[in-house]
Amino acid sequence: MKTIPVGVTAATTAAAYIRERVGAAWQTPVAGIVLGSGLGGLADRLEDAVRIPFSHVPGFPQVTVAGHAGQLIVGTLASRPVVMLAGRFHMYEGHDAGLAAFPVRVLHALGAPVYVASNAAGGVRRTFEAGDLMLIADHMNLMFRNPLIGPTEQGDERFPDMSDPYDPQLRALMREAAQAVNVPLHEGVYCGLVGPTYETPAEVRMLEKLGADAVGMSTVPEVIMARAIGMRAVAVSCITNKAAGLSHEKLSHAEVMEAGRSVAGRFEGLISAFVQRL
Ligand code: HPA
């Protein structure tokens, strides 16, 4: 594991750099939005966009996953100022949970009160099909890592309450947005595993018994961080495939990316309608 500083000081430095790059056009964002695999197209909908490669942001490591562009984009969506991250840092890349959650600290340091996560996920609920969207109601942390392990940073909660990790009001707003743009939106429990292997069929049966509806390799450390620093979180999974053993298909990253792209139009409409309601 690499030891890159991921605390409040590092986040403040990154945020100062981003504000300076945007210059006079800077407006405090209503939300920070992370785009999952295959969902990066939403970034093209931003108006007055300033694009900053991750490699320019102080404290950000290189993105190593194909299909994650690795850009931070500042602009307006539905006339609301937002900051988007096209790409994220996964633990399976060798990052610890603190680094996986670091961009959330940066979004907070930029003044975003709301954290919107999106991800590609396998459908554990048997009725889920590739292309379905699922609002995350709750999660299970089967990554067995936590970004808050270690000394408490100034302003962080030591023992954050996790009884409502995904903000009920924001979830209601997301459902309302889905209705407004006529996008079917399921709701369920996301289970985070560290990856990078997809699950075995036996593991998927275990996850089903535990109460998971979808499985993926991200989001959990980020939402833990959001709660610890007082941001309200909401998240949407794009079901890119039936989880292993639930169909005869073998899983591949290429298929996950392709399914992400096929749902992109609905996803983009949903998030735009949500942001409009913030
Ligand atoms: N499992 C874990 N992560 C995923 C999957 C999956 O089936 N599909 C997309 N991300």
Side-chain angles (χ1 to χ4, degrees), residues 22-94:
V22 177
W26 174 257
Q27 299 180 71
T28 304
V30 296
I33 305 170
V34 170
L35 305 174
S37 299
L39 303 174
L42 184 58
D44 299 331
R45 289 207 187 189
L46 283 194
E47 285 172 24
D48 305 318
V50 176
R51 296 168 186 280
I52 306 172
F54 278 2
S55 57
H56 293 191
V57 179
F60 273 24
Q62 286 287 348
V63 172
T64 65
V65 195
H68 290 263
Q71 271 195 342
L72 183 146
I73 309 110
V74 179
T76 59
L77 182 69
S79 310
R80 306 282 194 288
V82 295
V83 177
M84 278 188 193
L85 296 165
R88 54 155 56 94
F89 308 124
H90 301 87
M91 290 177 60
Y92 61 71
E93 293 172 83

Side-chain angles (χ1 to χ4, degrees), residues 175-210:
R175 282 186 223 109
E176 195 184 301
Q179 283 211 322
V181 293
N182 210 11
V183 166
L185 184 63
H186 303 281
E187 191 157 353
V189 173
Y190 175 88
C191 187
L193 270 64
V194 76
T197 44
Y198 293 113
E199 301 68 38
T200 65
E203 287 165 347
V204 171
R205 289 193 298 275
M206 172 191 76
L207 297 177
E208 187 180 27
K209 287 206 173 80
L210 293 178

Side-chain angles (χ1 to χ4, degrees), residues 72-189:
L72 183 146
I73 309 110
V74 179
T76 59
L77 182 69
S79 310
R80 306 282 194 288
V82 295
V83 177
M84 278 188 193
L85 296 165
R88 54 155 56 94
F89 308 124
H90 301 87
M91 290 177 60
Y92 61 71
E93 293 172 83
H95 305 313
D96 66 19
L99 187 51
F102 179 62
V104 182
R105 276 204 193 281
V106 175
L107 293 170
H108 183 245
L110 288 170
V114 167
Y115 179 61
V116 183
S118 63
N119 57 51
V124 175
R125 193 188 295 177
R126 286 172 187 258
T127 50
F128 280 175
E129 299 290 341
D132 283 350
L133 291 172
M134 185 190 90
L135 178 61
I136 302 185
D138 200 350
H139 75 217
M140 286 192 262
N141 184 4
L142 266 62
M143 295 174 145
F144 304 114
R145 301 282 194 284
N146 193 302
L148 305 179
I149 290 173
T152 312
E153 286 282 318
Q154 199 182 356
D156 285 12
E157 190 85 45
R158 173 76 293 190
F159 301 109
D161 171 65
M162 291 295 280
S163 48
D164 262 329
Y166 300 85
D167 188 88
Q169 282 175 323
L170 295 180
R171 279 158 55 204
L173 220 54
M174 193 68 84
R175 282 186 223 109
E176 195 184 301
Q179 283 211 322
V181 293
N182 210 11
V183 166
L185 184 63
H186 303 281
E187 191 157 353
V189 173

Side-chain angles (χ1 to χ4, degrees), residues 120-122 198-199 215-217 240-241 243 251 256:
Y198 293 113
E199 301 68 38
V215 58
M217 306 175 194
T240 53
N241 55 279
L251 306 189
V256 166

